[in-house]
Amino acid sequence: MKNTWDIIVIGGGHAGCEAAYAAARKGCKTLLITMHKATIGAMSCNPAIGGIGKGQLVKEIDALGGMMAQAADYACIQYRLLNRRKGAAVHGPRGQTDRALYQQYVQDFLNKQPNLTIAESEVTDLIIEQNRCVGVCTAHDEHLRARAVILTTGTFLRGCIFQGQKRITAGRHGEEAATKLSERLLSYGIQLGRLKTGTPPRLDKNTIDYSRLTPQPGDEIPHYFSMLTSQTFQQQVPCHITHTNPQTHEIILSNLESAPAYDGSISGKGPRYCPSIEDKLHRFADKTSHQIFLEPEGLSSDLVYPNGISTSIDTDTQEQFLRSITGLEKVEVIQYGYAIEYDYVDPRNLASSLELQQLPGLFLAGQINGSTGYEEAAAQGIMAGINAANICNDSAPLQIARHEGYIGVMLDDLTQKGVTEPYRMFTSRAEFRLRLRADNAPQRLCSIAIEQNCLDPERRALYQSQQQHYAAAMAILQQKASPNQLKLAGINVNQDGVVRDGYTWLGFSHIDFEALRSVWPELATVPQDTQTQIALDSHYAHYTEVQDREIQQLQKEAAVKIPQNIDFSKLQSISHEVRQLLAQNRPETLGAAARIQGITPSALAHLMILIQSQKLPQHDSAQSP
């Protein structure tokens, strides 16, 4: 390896892969360092991509030029659109993937990427000069310098696996933890916390009685992740559903003393929305059954992933409770479940660019920031890669606002609110989610990717073509028609005499493109995906117009200037703690004040009122005579 790089990425998980790819395609000489090349792109837990909120993140990664969506489509063996019974704004595309095919796609993709070198080593230290990270040291005593370093360590920072009373220092099953790097981060004054996650046992599919299970097929019409995908690559297969029962629960509850989460061995908090089976029985004691999804790990694999029974209980108990479940009476376990506890950095120490404020030049992405999930990690990775490259190019960091993408929601939540448990994306976290549909991610973010020079020519051309189709369709839909004209065309509407344009008529629940073609035949040339998007835009138009006004008001308020001679210590309507924070940071605008860790919405409201009323105490030295 050469000794000088533009960007060094540590870790070959989902965050590290997206970070390295983003940095390289922006023209930076990038080095990806991983302890094992063979595990780059590994799906450490469930063999699936997407879901509610998560699927939107995958679509946004694709719109920014990332690779996760393409890898997911290539390896997908079952597509399902979640939340289908609800509105399109909260639909969640999900794909069951072939674990081996996904990993191979990622490795092949990165190996062909210009400007990217992959090396196998352990990073043991950071090179710090004048309070700035300027490189790394490896276990091979190499000193590698870079203008920016991206740390994506996943669960490897002082990772410890728990399986009953067994304790193993590891980053994941069969792989050593990164302990020296944790120690060095602590020595630089970076505060670390502990979180935990877990995984279920892996089962031998040949020992499962599928005749007793409920099959769960995929969608007949798949919803692809990438805007580049136009076909299904792999054979589509069903998953299967079974359930725990009172006997299962009795076996687990009788052996809780062997579960490390209940004997005090684990201090870190686990994900609330993906609890272990032990946690489920504790939190939902009134339930006599919990659903289990038996998910194939691949077309050529004998492994089955039982989604819903993550556990760290001892292996004998795991085998007992599994064999109490319908269809699993004779099941053989290939790998037992376990919990893993690991270090994370309080994400409130990060700028919105994901650069660590205590150590400029060092970016963090993925589970090291307190998040959980492949999609959350990859989304942070692509943002860290883009922003690290922007440092090298002397450009401003990329910021995605909360109303522009779920990525913006996540980064704002992490860096402003911090975490008390592993952070997982949900549509409910986005107050402007009616604007943030999975289908319109390219329209929201591709133009940003083009400005950032990180969108490949193929996606750029496709996006521009889609925009042209959209504009052409909208030009037709700007034409107006009366209720009587629609009636004559066979469309039944209230004859209220109000003349409306085609876009407005399309917002009526019983009117679609096919109906409007009887009024404007030229709509027949509009591609199906454009029709779908415009129809959804029209359906949500009233609500998004309201949200647009709210966004404009928020942006207006954020731009409000705070007088520089204000004496924050005399603002009695604001708490003493907040007054101190304002005095220390002296923000120039309300928007800057809102980004200060610890500033509450209530304090901002009081400050806004004081500014508008001009009742702001000033420093005596700054007052006019």
Side-chain angles (χ1 to χ4, degrees):
M1 284 188 292
K2 64 179 183 180
N3 294 327
T4 303
W5 303 84
D6 292 325
I7 295 171
I8 295 174
V9 179
I10 304 168
H14 299 280
C17 289
E18 290 291 354
Y21 177 49
R25 74 176 182 269
K26 278 177 69 71
C28 295
K29 296 298 181 183
T30 304
L31 173 66
L32 171 61
I33 303 179
T34 177
M35 287 197 274
H36 301 287
K37 286 184 180 181
T39 60
I40 287 176
M43 306 180 82
S44 305
C45 196
N46 64 315
I49 295 292
I52 300 170
K54 291 172 172 283
Q56 282 84 338
L57 284 176
V58 179
K59 300 281 280 189
E60 291 181 0
I61 292 167
D62 187 63
L64 288 174
M67 66 175 161
M68 173 174 268
Q70 291 173 269
D73 281 332
Y74 176 76
C76 191
I77 56 178
Q78 186 193 94
Y79 286 98
R80 290 187 68 233
L81 187 66
L82 307 186
N83 256 1
R84 187 184 290 273
R85 293 181 181 178
K86 299 183 179 180
V90 293
H91 287 173
R94 184 183 190 271
Q96 196 69 37
T97 50
D98 183 304
R99 191 187 297 275
L101 290 174
Y102 183 95
Q103 185 172 346
Q104 191 60 55
Y105 184 96
V106 171
Q107 292 183 14
D108 291 344
F109 199 93
L110 292 179
N111 285 329
K112 293 184 290 188
Q113 177 59 35
N115 300 318
L116 178 60
T117 299
I118 300 173
E120 194 171 75
S121 187
E122 179 187 359
V123 172
T124 57
D125 202 358
L126 303 173
I127 301 174
I128 308 298
E129 294 178 359
Q130 298 180 339
N131 200 39
R132 183 177 185 85
C133 183
V134 295
V136 303
C137 300
T138 73
H140 300 127
D141 201 30
E142 296 165 307
H143 288 63
L144 310 174
R145 300 182 69 86
R147 296 188 64 181
V149 174
I150 305 174
L151 197 55
T152 70
T153 50
T155 59
F156 280 72
L157 282 183
R158 284 197 300 191
C160 183
I161 284 177
F162 295 82
Q163 200 173 63
Q165 299 302 307
K166 188 187 297 184
R167 309 288 183 269
I168 306 170
T169 299
R172 62 182 166 217
H173 181 74
E175 297 182 57
E176 61 271 29
T179 55
K180 293 181 181 179
L181 197 52
S182 264
E183 294 166 0
R184 296 307 292 159
L185 289 172
L186 285 168
S187 73
Y188 296 129
I190 298 172
Q191 185 177 0
L192 302 179
R194 297 286 278 178
L195 291 173
K196 85 170 182 79
T197 188
T199 190
R202 306 305 199 270
L203 312 179
D204 183 347
K205 74 174 184 182
N206 300 308
T207 60
I208 297 173
D209 185 356
Y210 285 99
S211 68
R212 305 188 64 199
L213 305 180
T214 303
Q216 184 189 47
D219 295 339
E220 289 186 11
I221 301 176
H223 287 76
Y224 300 126
F225 289 107
S226 177
M227 59 190 294
L228 295 174
T229 303
S230 59
Q231 66 177 35
T232 301
F233 292 96
Q234 309 299 337
Q235 174 190 349
Q236 300 296 285
V237 299
C239 295
H240 289 80
I241 298 174
T242 186
H243 299 81
T244 63
N245 55 60
Q247 182 187 358
T248 312
H249 297 186
E250 182 181 352
I251 293 170
I252 295 169
L253 292 172
S254 299
N255 291 276
L256 271 185
E257 71 277 0
S258 78
Y262 288 87
D263 68 6
S265 301
I266 295 179
S267 60
K269 194 168 183 179
R272 184 193 320 178
Y273 302 104
C274 189
S276 67
I277 186 62
E278 299 96 285
D279 288 337
K280 286 182 181 179
L281 300 190
H282 179 73
R283 287 166 50 186
F284 309 107
D286 58 322
K287 294 197 67 172
T288 58
S289 178
H290 292 279
Q291 198 169 50
I292 303 171
F293 297 91
L294 297 177
E295 302 173 343
E297 296 217 347
L299 297 175
S300 59
S301 172
D302 286 338
L303 294 180
V304 169
Y305 182 95
N307 197 339
I309 51 171
S310 169
T311 184
S312 60
I313 209 161
D314 69 274
T315 56
D316 287 342
T317 303
Q318 288 188 43
E319 194 162 293
Q320 287 180 49
F321 86 68
L322 282 167
R323 291 184 175 180
S324 71
I325 296 169
T326 299
L328 306 184
E329 291 87 352
K330 298 181 179 180
V331 75
E332 295 292 336
V333 179
I334 304 299
Q335 177 186 308
Y336 290 97
Y338 61 85
I340 183 166
E341 190 178 39
Y342 55 93
D343 286 344
Y344 79 100
V345 173
D346 186 339
R348 290 175 295 182
N349 293 310
L350 301 169
S352 59
S353 64
L354 295 178
E355 187 175 23
L356 192 61
Q357 297 184 82
Q358 297 107 309
L359 287 175
L362 179 62
F363 292 77
L364 309 182
Q367 284 177 283
I368 192 174
N369 292 337
S371 64
T372 184
Y374 305 148
E375 304 82 3
E376 291 86 348
Q380 292 173 60
I382 195 171
M383 292 297 289
I386 290 171
N387 284 323
N390 285 348
I391 282 184
C392 296
N393 298 328
D394 297 319
S395 302
L398 168 62
Q399 293 184 335
I400 295 176
R402 295 183 72 92
H403 67 273
E404 293 177 317
Y406 277 90
I407 290 177
V409 173
M410 176 178 62
L411 297 189
D412 190 61
D413 283 349
L414 289 173
T415 60
Q416 298 302 311
K417 300 175 184 178
V419 299
T420 56
E421 61 189 44
Y423 179 95
R424 178 179 178 178
M425 178 50 69
F426 290 101
T427 53
S428 59
R429 295 189 187 275
E431 58 270 49
F432 303 115
R433 57 185 170 275
L434 296 183
R435 298 171 54 93
L436 308 181
R437 305 191 311 269
D439 69 278
N440 67 7
Q443 283 62 43
R444 290 186 280 112
L445 297 177
C446 277
S447 60
I448 293 175
I450 291 171
E451 291 173 2
Q452 291 289 320
N453 193 31
C454 60
L455 196 65
D456 54 90
E458 190 177 2
R459 265 179 281 203
R460 180 171 183 160
L462 181 57
Y463 163 70
Q464 291 170 339
S465 175
Q466 290 174 342
Q467 290 298 92
Q468 290 170 1
H469 288 308
Y470 191 101
M474 287 298 293
I476 299 170
L477 291 170
Q478 294 308 307
Q479 300 176 69
K480 295 186 177 182
S482 68
N484 189 52
Q485 285 176 280
L486 266 63
K487 181 180 179 181
L488 292 173
I491 304 172
N492 184 27
V493 296
N494 183 20
Q495 296 299 304
D496 57 8
V498 178
V499 177
R500 299 175 175 89
D501 61 31
Y503 183 72
T504 304
W505 283 121
L506 192 60
F508 284 59
S509 60
H510 66 292
I511 299 178
D512 57 18
F513 262 85
E514 184 177 355
L516 290 182
R517 282 202 293 269
S518 60
V519 181
W520 297 288
E522 57 269 40
L523 287 174
T525 62
V526 179
Q528 183 58 52
D529 57 345
T530 304
Q531 291 184 33
T532 300
Q533 188 185 345
I534 292 178
L536 290 172
D537 287 345
S538 177
H539 176 73
Y540 286 112
H542 170 72
Y543 306 101
T544 54
E545 286 170 6
V546 173
Q547 288 192 346
D548 286 344
R549 290 193 291 271
E550 293 175 356
I551 292 166
Q552 290 171 4
Q553 183 63 29
L554 288 172
Q555 291 174 330
K556 182 179 178 182
E557 291 175 357
V560 171
K561 296 285 187 182
I562 300 175
Q564 288 303 293
N565 57 358
I566 181 176
D567 188 349
F568 290 109
S569 65
K570 295 181 181 179
L571 295 177
Q572 297 303 313
S573 59
I574 297 176
S575 72
H576 175 69
E577 179 185 2
V578 171
R579 293 200 300 270
Q580 283 187 319
L581 288 171
L582 291 170
Q584 291 168 2
N585 291 275
R586 301 208 65 79
E588 296 181 0
T589 64
L590 276 180
R595 291 190 290 274
I596 298 172
Q597 179 182 331
I599 299 298
T600 64
S602 175
L604 291 172
H606 280 296
L607 189 54
M608 180 70 174
I609 292 170
L610 290 168
I611 292 172
Q612 290 176 336
S613 65
Q614 295 299 306
K615 294 179 180 178
L616 293 169
Q618 300 176 334
H619 288 289
D620 293 337
S621 60
Q623 292 179 351
S624 301

